Amino acid sequence: MGENPEAPAIMGGSSAKHFDKTPRIWHEVPEVGVEQSHCKPCKGTGKRYIYPEWVSGLDADCGYCNGSGKVWDKKSIEVGGALFFNSHLFLLKNLPGVEIGVFHPTDVARFRFDGGDGLSTSLPRQ
């Protein structure tokens, strides 16, 4: 079977050109602080009871805080016209040489760092 030179390169059912979302401007990820508070669904215990508490051994890690008993605040910060959770930027900032590029404020953003790159979701505007 021969290849058709006019056929688009297929990647996930679309042409590969569709996935080329190279930002024109790369932004430094800002220094942000995050605050943690007790998880309200599990009352800071890190456990959620499947049945009433008097039934022993039927508890599980809280899915909201992943069993830590603490949750990060949900403040948002604008970078390149898009909003991101400050906790997400806090995690990205720990990567060496990290920069974030926004293709469109409502689309995924790209980030790159010394050693790799990735995609990040932005928050919808209210």
Side-chain angles (χ1 to χ4, degrees):
M1 302 226 145
E3 291 186 29
N4 181 353
E6 295 179 18
I10 301 298
M11 177 195 246
S14 301
S15 79
K17 185 177 179 182
H18 173 75
F19 291 99
D20 183 22
K21 301 239 176 180
T22 304
R24 291 187 295 272
I25 299 173
W26 289 91
H27 304 275
E28 181 179 336
V29 175
E31 291 283 344
V32 294
V34 293
E35 296 177 16
Q36 288 188 330
S37 60
H38 286 327
C39 176
K40 289 180 184 175
C42 70
K43 300 180 181 113
T45 65
K47 298 288 183 188
R48 297 282 303 267
Y49 292 95
I50 299 170
Y51 293 101
E53 294 181 28
W54 53 267
V55 179
S56 65
L58 296 178
D59 59 344
D61 283 345
C62 175
Y64 192 76
C65 66
N66 294 324
S68 71
K70 301 217 179 265
V71 292
W72 286 353
D73 59 2
K74 296 286 187 189
K75 295 177 184 170
S76 59
I77 306 259
E78 185 173 333
V79 177
L83 293 175
F84 298 90
F85 280 130
N86 61 336
S87 56
H88 190 71
L89 294 175
F90 177 78
L91 293 173
L92 285 177
K93 189 65 177 177
N94 289 315
L95 297 171
V98 69
E99 295 177 309
I100 194 162
V102 177
F103 181 73
H104 188 274
T106 60
D107 204 352
V108 295
R110 291 181 67 180
F111 65 91
R112 63 183 180 187
F113 63 101
D114 299 339
D117 61 349
L119 297 173
S120 174
T121 56
S122 59
L123 300 171
R125 293 260 180 201
Q126 299 292 334

